[in-house]
Amino acid sequence: MSINKILQVRGMSKRFGDLVVLDNIDIDIPIGSHTTVIGKSGIGKSVLLKCMAGLLEPDAGIVEIDGKKGSFPHCSYMFQQNALFDSFNVFENIALPLRETQTLKREEIREKVEQIIEKLDLNSATYKYPAEISGGMKKRVALARALITNPEIILFDEPTTGLDPLRKYGVFDMISTYRKKFGFTVLMVSHDVPEVFEITDQIAWLEGGKIAFWGTPDELYADTPAPLKPFLNPKLETSL
Amino acid sequence: MIYKLGNNGIKLISELGELTLFALSSIKSFLPQNHRLEKIVRAIYEIGVRCVPITLIVGLFTGLVLGLQLFYVLTKFSSESLLGQAVALSIILEIGPVFTAIMIVGQAGSALSAEIGIQRNAEQIDALSTMKINPIGFLVSPRVLAALICFPILTAAFNIIGIWGGYLSGVAMLGVDSGAYWTRIFESVSGQNVADSMLKAFVFGFLTTLVCAFQGYYTHIKASVPGSRGVSETTTRAVVISSIVILAADFVLTSFLLVR
């Protein structure tokens, strides 16, 4: 077992009918790092994340965390649309994993939830329902719910979908800031190229079911693979 | 034609297998849950308390109509004095458990299916899995247990109010002797009849709650279209299948209970 890699994917494959989405993929995510998976829409980025989180059963391959196969004891997942429970208020949403998976007393749960609400500046929304708060706040609530169990890894599935540029940078800033603050590892799927390069340590480019590029943003810019160039600098084929 | 028939047969068997596994999972997942009592109380409110008005209203009118209809039939044989017995046995053995179950499916079962279906579409069920919370244990098990408690209680309420409905139409409106009405009931209705009624309610509660939860839980697979139309489709299907299941199970149970 390697010491400086906590998440190891080996030989992961997934197909839907005849469509091969993941083809024998190997990935190593170093401790505390931020890795972003980029690629065209529908290429299988979210499938990769869901296979890693156990939401989809891969056809082949193993996932190891600290050498433990298959399970993610210290992993949280942030969904594209946040997946907050709309009939629970913010406090209840954040407390949910603690209430349901741990044997803490009511006061201990309250204390932990209030701490994270304080850290993520959600005081004004504590007893509001998801429908009553802004999109940015919903993201923070989802992050608070992901952080409340002190995960080592958080998987982000397109966390900036549908946000304007200002809010998009706000979310990136939030992820970057809290990663430094809480020390978790980030594996993110994103379409926000090149903005996401400002906060990520590694980039994995998924193409044709394979990781076609793996490296830092600097390495990517220094030696961009030819097929990736149009993806990084898209141009209109027709001019007005 | 044969291919289609065979294909549908395989689909049906496969669906029954999935439903059985779902049922086993919902039973198995209950005990490891935290805050079980709180969840059951909430589910009892959703399934039981909210369905009290509709159960009582339908029970009353069913009894009223039954009183009128049976009086009309019994007068042909000059047997009006048997009205109490006829109303009570019809309601306790058949109409009570079946109508109550159909009413609860219409109100709580459809709501359950739609709620779980929406949670599936909003990725809330996936979110539960990533939080290491068993979604079936969290969403389905407490409802199944609550149904096992609520269906017999609501059926008992339906039976009582239905018999009173028969009394109102038969005795107060049509002039059947009050003493004869009640005496016939006490003479003819046995504890076994009441137990059979409760058994039916228990079985209907278990089956219909599972069917409704199952349709909602797998709305992403079972519906022919995704999204809100898919939820609408599986909710409708949940109510239709539940209603058929109630009538089919009633036939099977009655066959066994009557020959006993």
Side-chain angles (χ1 to χ4, degrees):
Chain A
M1 189 184 80
S2 55
I3 293 168
N4 61 346
K5 293 183 174 78
I6 59 161
L7 194 149
Q8 300 154 318
V9 178
R10 292 288 176 270
M12 183 170 283
S13 298
K14 178 73 184 172
R15 61 164 65 216
F16 296 101
D18 293 334
L19 181 70
V20 179
V21 179
L22 304 177
D23 185 10
N24 201 24
I25 281 177
D26 295 338
I27 304 174
D28 288 346
I29 311 289
I31 290 173
S33 71
H34 182 146
T35 302
T36 303
V37 182
I38 60 170
K40 291 176 208 159
S41 296
I43 206 78
K45 304 183 293 298
S46 294
V47 171
L48 173 64
L49 223 58
K50 284 181 177 174
C51 283
M52 287 177 157
L55 292 174
L56 283 175
E57 185 82 24
D59 299 328
I62 55 162
V63 180
E64 293 180 344
I65 294 174
D66 289 340
K68 290 172 198 159
K69 199 190 289 183
S71 68
F72 283 76
H74 302 297
C75 171
S76 290
Y77 195 104
M78 253 190 80
F79 290 82
Q80 245 178 72
Q81 304 299 335
N82 307 314
L84 297 175
F85 283 78
D86 37 21
S87 53
F88 290 178
N89 64 31
V90 165
F91 184 95
E92 291 165 334
N93 263 293
I94 299 170
L96 185 65
L98 292 182
R99 271 176 56 85
E100 295 299 326
T101 61
Q102 297 184 16
T103 51
L104 296 172
K105 288 179 183 162
R106 197 177 285 267
E107 294 74 34
E108 290 173 304
I109 292 176
R110 172 165 292 279
E111 198 179 315
K112 277 181 172 254
V113 174
E114 280 174 353
Q115 275 175 11
I116 204 132
I117 280 177
E118 185 75 37
K119 279 179 185 164
L120 269 73
D121 194 21
L122 285 165
N123 293 300
S124 61
T126 307
Y127 296 105
K128 287 185 177 169
Y129 288 91
E132 299 171 331
I133 59 177
S134 67
M137 254 184 180
K138 281 181 197 164
K139 293 275 175 213
R140 271 186 282 156
V141 175
L143 183 62
R145 190 177 68 179
L147 285 171
I148 195 81
T149 50
N150 298 321
E152 287 175 78
I153 305 159
I154 302 184
L155 307 173
F156 291 86
D157 190 359
E158 297 186 34
T160 54
T161 300
L163 296 182
D164 61 60
L166 208 59
R167 287 183 199 280
K168 193 192 308 180
Y169 271 98
V171 170
F172 284 158
D173 199 34
M174 173 184 87
I175 292 168
S176 175
T177 306
Y178 293 123
R179 180 167 75 90
K180 283 169 194 153
K181 205 167 175 176
F182 293 96
F184 52 84
T185 303
V186 172
L187 179 60
M188 179 195 281
V189 163
S190 180
H191 277 128
D192 298 311
V193 175
E195 299 95 316
V196 73
F197 294 169
E198 291 180 33
I199 60 162
T200 194
D201 300 317
Q202 290 91 223
I203 298 153
W205 176 40
L206 189 65
E207 179 67 33
K210 301 265 189 195
I211 300 293
F213 173 85
W214 175 271
T216 64
D218 290 341
E219 286 168 345
L220 180 68
Y221 281 124
D223 186 17
T224 309
L228 189 50
K229 280 179 183 165
F231 187 77
L232 294 178
N233 297 296
K235 288 188 174 64
L236 285 173
E237 284 184 9
T238 55
S239 55
L240 292 173
Chain B
M1 167 80 175
I2 292 171
Y3 171 79
K4 214 173 179 181
L5 206 68
N7 204 21
N8 285 339
I10 291 169
K11 265 186 193 166
L12 180 70
I13 291 166
S14 156
E15 188 121 334
L16 282 174
E18 285 171 18
L19 185 64
T20 307
L21 290 176
F22 187 76
L24 291 175
S25 178
S26 74
I27 294 165
K28 200 179 70 182
S29 313
F30 180 69
L31 277 180
Q33 291 286 307
N34 287 353
H35 311 285
R36 290 184 291 268
L37 186 64
E38 194 181 313
K39 285 173 192 163
I40 289 178
V41 169
R42 192 183 173 133
I44 285 176
Y45 175 74
E46 286 167 3
I47 296 172
V49 179
R50 281 185 183 169
C51 293
V52 168
I54 186 78
T55 306
L56 296 183
I57 291 167
V58 173
L60 178 66
F61 281 103
T62 305
L64 284 168
V65 171
L66 210 57
L68 291 176
Q69 287 285 359
L70 288 174
F71 179 83
Y72 174 73
V73 174
L74 291 170
T75 47
K76 291 187 182 291
F77 305 99
S78 305
S79 308
E80 304 91 290
S81 61
L82 294 175
L83 183 68
Q85 179 181 352
V87 167
L89 286 178
S90 305
I91 287 179
I92 290 171
L93 289 176
E94 282 304 320
I95 298 171
V98 170
F99 273 35
T100 306
I102 290 175
M103 287 305 113
I104 301 174
V105 165
Q107 173 141 342
S110 57
L112 168 65
S113 184
E115 185 183 334
I116 295 180
I118 290 167
Q119 287 180 320
R120 168 64 72 188
N121 281 352
E123 295 184 308
Q124 289 170 15
I125 292 178
D126 284 344
L128 288 173
S129 299
T130 62
M131 287 186 264
K132 309 286 174 249
I133 300 169
N134 183 329
I136 294 179
F138 184 74
L139 298 171
V140 181
S141 304
R143 263 95 171 227
V144 172
L145 203 69
L148 296 182
I149 296 166
C150 294
F151 272 62
I153 292 173
L154 287 173
T155 300
F158 184 106
N159 291 348
I160 292 167
I161 204 87
I163 291 170
W164 271 101
Y167 176 87
L168 283 177
S169 58
V171 177
M173 285 167 62
L174 299 168
V176 173
D177 182 67
S178 169
Y181 186 87
W182 292 115
T183 307
R184 286 290 183 185
I185 292 176
F186 289 120
E187 278 175 1
S188 60
V189 176
S190 64
Q192 190 60 53
N193 295 144
V194 177
D196 289 351
S197 183
M198 295 301 105
L199 174 69
K200 283 186 176 181
F202 195 79
V203 172
F204 296 162
F206 181 70
L207 292 177
T208 57
T209 310
L210 275 176
V211 166
C212 291
F214 179 75
Q215 288 295 329
Y217 195 83
Y218 291 111
T219 189
H220 60 311
I221 300 168
K222 304 286 173 201
S224 60
V225 282
S228 52
R229 279 183 63 198
V231 174
S232 154
E233 185 186 317
T234 45
T235 303
T236 307
R237 196 185 301 153
V239 174
V240 171
I241 294 174
S242 296
S243 303
I244 295 168
V245 162
I246 290 166
L247 296 174
D250 185 43
F251 172 73
V252 174
L253 283 172
T254 306
S255 309
F256 281 107
L257 295 174
L258 284 183
V259 295
R260 186 178 50 196

